[in-house]
């Protein structure tokens, strides 16, 4: 659903009326500590509570992982929903009237929301109907299939709400439309019934099929997968695209797998519903299934929200169709993998088995866990596929394999990684012949056109090569000093409005500015939000957090500034002194840069041919050094260095 832009008044009212303690305490066990509440952070694993909720500031913050924000941010990050979805859910919860920026869209938005709510009701009721039918005489064959052939326990059957669609043409239609009185148009919109081509009414989409509900990330039923119990084709029939169900954006069992993905820091993608169900039943719960289509980049991005290491493992069938599906899925996200945005691994189960069959034959989940642990990176797997079945002694086959490997490796952006894989490919192309392997590696590099590399001898980044060691150390220490000084100034500015004018004055008087890009961005946003010092600390921070919708990455990196720990409280108590010290530190870094700059030019200038320039550069160098000495003589600054 495409939401109209929400009116700022609606967003503000939701923020004001939402009780953050009420929202967070539903997901986290909190204990009162002073004026705040603490608990175990839901965003990372921890044994000692570092997650704090401040009702007075209407904020939360984790001193362990840095997660923080308001109630909207909490639900948005925890449930991985859009900003508008969270605001609308909270508006319904607190009975807040929704306004959009376009008044004429308000009625349409309310109508769409009402339709969606009814569709959720219809799909939930259909699922209950199918589950009930599974326990009736007519569902006996489906239940036996689940228990005998799939070897699923009653607990698993209930966990995944498996059911049965009766064989009649209008059984579900009669239940939803005639008994429950839902409008036939809505039941059709839910994808459960189909209009007859003759125009004479409707018939059930799913008939005599084992029914597998498909749920969204919140566990709401949005569609169904139906497996035939006969030879009818297709073997699996999915719901059509609806307002609720978008096959290309949905992953089966993600609602059940998300906590395990976070815990394992790894997501496993399988092909079929029953592969996922069987793995969950075996205690391997970080598993989702694609829905009969190539895995899309959108689906992969959903998974990446839950794994910090960005590790995803594809487990497609080892037959020709499964290998083709794996290659197609890799193609969808290869650009992310080349850029290091996803650590993609591939497993093929021996003997062409799928995950469900492999678990049954193994009698234990441990062999599958071992396959996961040993899964090769996607490039290694791709190289194996390129070379599979090739007789490298035949010239044309060798050239074909070499071309495939060159195309595969050409997009690797990291030089060290490229060198590793070129050497690996050369070994595979010349098994047991070390001398020939070196020549092949040279040839592969020439084809890839990266002449600055040599097999087995990766070089450092060019910019680092060009700097002297002293320069690298100096630049590193400059950045550390700037990070500390700018952080102090920004934190005091945000949390202590009465110091804001002092900070503005000292920066202006000494012609100083924030140098680090994130800090400079934050300073610019502060003055866009409030000319002068008109907003309170909490109000200014709240408005900055709202910018996460537009600038999610930048605000996430800056979120640590929006909260203060015990050390921060102590620093703020001596704010006046720290403002002077921090400003002096920033000025010192500027002087260091000026000193290096003029010394470099003085050394390069001919003192006979360019005497005046040489004298100017030397005077500027001496002035910068003198100012550094004056700043270092400030006793309070020495502790920073």
């Amino acid at each position: 659903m495409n939401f109209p832009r929400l009116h700022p008044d609606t967003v503000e009212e939701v923020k004001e009326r939402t009780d953050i303690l009420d929202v967070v305490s539903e997901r986290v066990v909190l204990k009162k500590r002073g004026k705040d509440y603490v608990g175990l952070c839901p965003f990372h694993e921890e044994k000692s509570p570092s997650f704090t909720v401040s009702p007075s500031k209407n904020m939360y913050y984790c001193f362990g992982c840095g997660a923080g924000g308001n109630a909207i941010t909490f639900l948005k990050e925890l449930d991985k929903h859009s900003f508008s979805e969270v605001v609308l859910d909270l508006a319904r919860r607190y009975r807040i009237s929704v306004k959009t920026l376009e008044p004429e869209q308000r009625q349409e938005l309310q109508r769409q929301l009402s339709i969606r709510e009814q569709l959720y009701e219809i799909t939930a009721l259909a699922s209950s109907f199918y589950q009930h039918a599974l326990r009736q005489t007519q569902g006996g064959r489906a239940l036996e299939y689940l228990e005998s052939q799939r070897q699923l326990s009653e607990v698993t059957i209930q966990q995944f709400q498996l059911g049965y669609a009766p064989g009649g043409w209008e059984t579900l239609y009669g239940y939803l439309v005639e008994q429950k009185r839902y409008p036939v148009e809505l039941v059709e919109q839910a994808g459960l019934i189909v209009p007859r081509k003759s125009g004479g009414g409707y018939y059930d989409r799913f008939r005599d099929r084992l029914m597998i509900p498909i749920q969204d990330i919140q566990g709401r039923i949005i569609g169904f997968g139906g497996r035939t119990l006969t030879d009818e084709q297709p073997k699996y029939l999915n719901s059509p695209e609806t307002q609720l169900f978008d096959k290309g954006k949905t992953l089966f069992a993600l609602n059940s797998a998300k906590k395990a993905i976070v815990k394992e820091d790894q997501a496993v993608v399988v092909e079929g519903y029953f592969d996922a169900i069987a793995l969950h039943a075996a205690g391997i719960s970080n598993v989702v299934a694609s829905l009969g289509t190539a895995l899309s980049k959108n689906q992969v991005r959903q998974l990446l929200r839950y794994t910090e290491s960005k590790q995803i493992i594809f487990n497609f069938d080892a037959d020709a169709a499964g290998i083709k599906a794996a290659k197609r899925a890799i193609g969808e996200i290869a650009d992310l993998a080349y850029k290091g945005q996803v650590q993609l691994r591939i497993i093929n189960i021996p003997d062409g088995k799928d995950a469900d069959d492999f678990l049954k034959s193994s009698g234990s989940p441990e062999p599958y866990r071992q396959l996961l642990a040993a899964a090769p990176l996607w490039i290694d797997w791709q190289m194996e596929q390129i070379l599979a079945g090739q007789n490298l002694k035949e010239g044309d086959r060798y050239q074909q394999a070499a071309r495939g490997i060159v195309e595969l490796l050409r997009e690797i952006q990291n030089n060290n990684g490229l060198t590793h894989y070129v050497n690996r490919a050369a070994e595979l192309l010349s098994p047991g012949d070390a001398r020939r392997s070196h020549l092949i590696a040279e040839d592969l590099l020439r084809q890839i056109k990266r002449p600055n590399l040599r097999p087995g001898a990766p070089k450092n980044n060019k910019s680092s090569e060009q700097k002297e060691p002293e320069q690298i150390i100096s630049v590193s220490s400059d950045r550390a000093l700037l990070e500390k000084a700018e952080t102090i100034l920004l934190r005091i500015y945000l949390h202590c409005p009465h110091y804001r004018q002092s900070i503005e004055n000292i920066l202006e008087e000494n012609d100083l500015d924030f140098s680090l890009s994130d800090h400079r961005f934050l300073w610019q946003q502060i003055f866009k939000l409030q000319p002068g010092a008109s907003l309170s600390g909490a109000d200014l921070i709240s408005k900055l957090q709202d910018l996460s919708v537009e600038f999610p990455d930048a605000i996430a990196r800056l979120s640590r500034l929006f909260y203060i720990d015990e050390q921060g409280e102590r620093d703020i108590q001596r704010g006046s002194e720290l403002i002077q010290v921090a400003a002096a530190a920033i000025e010192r870094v500027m002087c260091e840069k000026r000193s290096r700059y003029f010394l470099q030019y003085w050394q390069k200038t001919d003192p006979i041919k360019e005497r005046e320039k040489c004298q100017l550069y030397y005077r500027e160098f001496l002035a910068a050094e003198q100012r550094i000495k004056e700043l270092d003589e400030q006793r309070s600054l020495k502790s920073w260095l």
Side-chain angles (χ1 to χ4, degrees):
M1 176 179 176
N2 295 320
F3 294 104
R5 291 181 61 196
L6 297 174
H7 197 286
D9 290 349
T10 295
V11 177
E12 284 302 312
E13 189 174 358
V14 166
K15 286 168 58 180
E16 289 173 8
R17 289 178 54 183
T18 299
D19 183 341
I20 192 166
L21 187 61
D22 180 35
V23 170
V24 175
S25 61
E26 290 182 346
R27 312 293 188 91
V28 181
V29 177
L30 297 171
K31 295 182 180 179
K32 190 168 177 57
R33 181 182 293 174
K35 61 182 180 180
D36 295 333
Y37 292 79
V38 299
L40 296 176
C41 179
F43 298 103
H44 80 290
E45 291 283 334
E46 61 176 4
K47 295 180 180 178
S48 300
S50 59
F51 181 82
T52 303
V53 177
S54 173
S56 60
K57 295 180 180 179
N58 208 27
M59 297 176 185
Y60 70 91
Y61 185 70
C62 176
F63 291 98
C65 69
N70 53 31
I72 296 174
T73 312
F74 179 81
L75 294 175
K76 180 170 167 282
E77 293 300 320
L78 196 62
D79 294 331
K80 306 303 177 186
H81 288 165
S82 70
F83 179 82
S84 295
E85 282 181 293
V86 173
V87 172
L88 287 169
D89 284 342
L90 288 172
R92 283 195 290 270
R93 174 172 176 167
Y94 290 96
R95 300 184 182 279
I96 297 169
S97 178
V98 176
K99 293 191 294 185
T100 65
L101 286 176
E102 298 79 12
E104 65 275 8
Q105 289 186 316
R106 181 179 176 185
Q107 186 175 356
E108 175 61 19
L109 175 61
Q110 296 291 359
R111 188 187 72 80
Q112 289 184 26
L113 290 174
S114 175
I115 289 175
R116 284 175 68 86
E117 290 301 322
Q118 291 181 75
L119 291 176
Y120 283 125
E121 288 180 12
I122 290 169
T123 52
L125 199 57
S127 178
S128 297
F129 174 85
Y130 293 142
Q131 290 177 71
H132 176 75
L134 181 67
R135 309 295 170 173
Q136 306 309 305
T137 303
Q138 57 188 336
R141 185 171 47 150
L143 184 58
E144 182 186 6
Y145 173 84
L146 293 173
E147 294 175 340
S148 300
Q149 290 186 243
R150 293 295 180 176
Q151 299 178 18
L152 298 180
S153 67
E154 181 62 27
V155 171
T156 301
I157 292 172
Q158 291 188 22
Q159 177 189 347
F160 287 92
Q161 303 176 48
L162 304 179
Y164 170 71
W169 285 89
E170 298 180 358
T171 312
L172 183 66
Y173 171 87
Y175 176 70
L176 292 175
V177 177
E178 296 175 0
Q179 288 188 41
K180 295 299 181 179
R181 300 295 181 183
Y182 279 101
V184 68
E185 295 83 4
L186 286 182
V187 179
E188 181 187 356
Q189 285 185 44
L192 295 169
I193 58 175
V194 181
R196 296 183 184 276
K197 293 181 180 179
S198 62
Y202 295 81
Y203 61 91
D204 295 348
R205 181 180 297 277
F206 301 101
R207 303 176 308 282
D208 191 23
R209 284 180 179 265
L210 180 64
M211 298 302 293
I212 307 159
I214 301 168
Q215 302 176 45
D216 65 12
I217 196 66
Q218 291 178 275
R220 297 175 297 192
I221 295 171
I222 56 176
F224 295 90
R227 188 197 189 283
T228 183
L229 295 168
T230 64
D231 295 330
E232 182 186 357
Q233 294 298 320
K235 185 176 180 180
Y236 284 92
L237 176 66
N238 286 331
S239 291
E241 302 280 312
T242 69
Q243 280 197 38
L244 304 183
F245 180 54
D246 185 335
K247 187 161 54 175
K249 296 180 179 179
T250 305
L251 288 163
F252 176 71
L254 180 56
N255 60 301
S256 300
K258 58 184 179 182
K259 288 184 179 179
I261 293 173
V262 172
K263 184 177 180 180
E264 300 291 334
D265 196 18
Q266 176 192 85
V268 181
V269 182
V270 295
E271 276 194 85
Y273 294 111
F274 284 104
D275 289 332
I277 292 171
L279 286 165
H280 277 256
I284 303 174
S285 302
N286 57 325
V287 181
V288 299
S290 57
L291 295 171
T293 59
L295 200 70
S296 70
K297 190 179 295 186
N298 186 294
Q299 290 169 315
V300 170
R301 289 191 188 280
Q302 287 183 61
L303 293 174
L304 293 180
R305 296 170 184 168
Y306 299 97
T307 162
E308 186 176 351
S309 67
K310 310 302 181 189
Q311 185 176 160
I312 295 177
I313 300 180
F314 286 173
N315 174 199
F316 294 146
D317 295 347
D319 57 15
I323 291 173
K324 184 178 179 181
K327 290 180 178 179
R328 190 167 62 244
I330 290 171
E332 283 286 321
I333 62 168
D335 60 326
L336 298 180
Y338 278 121
K339 293 174 183 175
Q341 295 176 18
V342 55
Q343 184 190 148
L344 180 61
R345 295 180 179 273
I346 312 290
I347 63 173
N348 283 132
I349 297 174
D351 303 323
K353 294 178 180 177
D354 58 28
D356 189 13
D357 290 335
F358 184 71
L359 284 173
K360 289 186 178 72
S361 63
S362 301
S364 159
E366 276 314 304
Y368 189 85
R369 293 186 191 277
Q370 292 170 12
L371 287 177
L372 291 178
L377 284 166
W378 70 284
I379 291 185
D380 294 284
W381 184 84
Q382 286 275 70
M383 285 202 296
E384 290 175 7
Q385 295 302 311
I386 290 171
L387 297 172
Q390 297 281 22
N391 184 354
L392 298 179
K393 294 181 179 180
E394 296 181 8
D396 59 337
R397 294 294 183 91
Y398 175 88
Q399 290 298 329
Q400 181 181 345
R403 279 196 301 270
I405 287 175
V406 167
E407 290 303 314
L408 178 66
L409 303 186
R410 181 168 281 147
E411 298 302 320
I412 296 178
Q413 299 179 6
N414 178 275
N415 283 343
N416 290 340
L418 177 61
T419 300
H420 166 80
Y421 278 110
V422 164
N423 288 323
R424 174 65 179 144
E427 291 173 4
L428 293 172
L429 288 168
S430 59
D433 189 340
R435 182 177 175 279
R436 185 163 171 260
S437 173
H438 181 78
L439 296 174
I440 291 174
E442 291 279 9
D443 183 58
L444 291 174
L445 276 177
R446 279 194 296 272
Q447 293 184 61
I448 294 170
K449 298 180 181 178
R450 300 281 270 277
N452 58 315
L453 292 174
R454 292 293 180 270
K459 293 186 178 181
N460 292 327
N461 181 282
K462 184 179 178 182
S463 61
S464 296
E465 288 175 5
Q466 293 175 340
K467 293 180 181 177
E468 296 296 327
E470 294 82 359
Q471 286 181 294
I472 297 171
I473 294 170
S474 179
V475 170
S476 176
S477 59
D478 282 355
R479 184 175 180 86
L481 189 58
L482 278 176
E483 178 73 37
K484 192 169 185 179
E486 293 183 3
T487 294
I488 284 287
L489 288 182
L490 287 168
R491 187 169 276 143
I492 293 175
Y493 192 96
L494 290 171
H495 294 276
C496 303
H498 55 284
Y499 280 127
R500 289 178 185 170
Q501 194 60 55
S502 298
I503 293 173
E504 292 175 24
N505 289 342
I506 200 168
L507 293 176
E508 185 175 355
E509 290 165 6
N510 294 282
D511 194 24
L512 303 176
D513 201 354
F514 291 95
S515 297
L516 302 181
S517 58
D518 281 343
H519 293 166
R520 189 165 58 249
F521 166 79
L522 180 61
W523 192 242
Q524 293 167 351
Q525 297 307 314
I526 285 171
F527 281 91
K528 286 181 182 178
L529 290 171
Q530 56 132 42
S534 57
L535 292 174
S536 70
D539 288 343
L540 177 56
I541 291 171
S542 178
K543 288 188 176 295
L544 288 169
Q545 288 175 322
D546 289 344
L547 293 173
S548 63
V549 178
E550 190 174 357
F551 308 105
D553 294 338
I555 297 302
R557 291 192 297 270
L558 291 163
S559 63
R560 59 190 169 77
L561 297 175
F562 301 155
Y563 313 93
I564 49 176
D565 54 15
E566 292 181 6
Q567 179 60 48
E569 294 280 6
R570 289 195 292 271
D571 287 346
I572 284 175
Q573 290 175 6
R574 55 191 189 106
S576 182
E577 175 192 354
L578 282 180
I579 289 170
Q580 298 292 328
V581 172
I586 294 173
E587 185 180 354
R588 188 190 192 286
V589 172
M590 291 180 61
C591 289
E592 281 279 8
K593 290 180 179 178
R594 286 178 60 83
S595 171
R596 291 195 296 268
Y597 175 85
F598 285 113
L599 177 61
Q600 182 182 23
Y601 274 86
W602 176 68
Q603 291 172 335
K604 290 180 178 179
T605 304
D606 189 323
I608 298 175
K609 295 181 179 179
E610 298 178 287
R611 182 181 177 185
E612 291 185 3
K613 278 188 178 181
C614 190
Q615 290 176 342
L616 172 64
Y617 293 149
Y618 191 65
R619 283 197 304 271
E620 292 291 345
F621 165 71
L622 290 178
E625 287 293 303
Q626 178 60 32
R627 182 56 180 159
I628 290 172
K629 185 177 179 181
E630 293 170 1
L631 291 168
D632 285 349
E633 287 174 355
Q634 296 182 24
R635 184 175 182 181
S636 56
L637 181 57
K638 289 183 180 179
S639 63
W640 286 64
L641 303 175

